[in-house]
């Protein structure tokens, strides 16, 4: 039976953690601004479409 004691992704060559973290930071920034934009649109709709 195969030995599963070592996790492959922690020892794999070529893992680019700085690029991964930069991508995640970009995603968080996009999600934050996107949420703020949707809230602004809903508020403006509530004001002007009543």
């Amino acid at each position: 039976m195969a030995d599963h004691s070592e996790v492959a992704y922690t020892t794999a060559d070529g893992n680019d953690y700085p690029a991964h973290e930069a991508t995640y930071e970009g995603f968080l920034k996009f999600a934050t601004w996107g949420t703020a934009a949707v809230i602004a649109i809903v508020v403006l709709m509530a004001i002007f479409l009543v």
Side-chain angles (χ1 to χ4, degrees):
M1 188 171 277
D3 181 21
H4 295 288
S5 62
E6 186 174 353
V7 180
Y9 64 85
T10 59
T11 58
D13 293 334
N15 284 339
D16 193 1
Y17 288 109
H20 167 74
E21 291 174 355
T23 301
Y24 184 65
E25 289 294 326
F27 167 75
L28 288 179
K29 186 177 289 188
F30 174 76
T32 301
W33 284 105
T35 301
V38 168
I39 290 171
I41 290 169
V42 170
V43 167
L44 290 172
M45 287 174 63
I47 293 170
F48 292 111
L49 296 179
V50 172

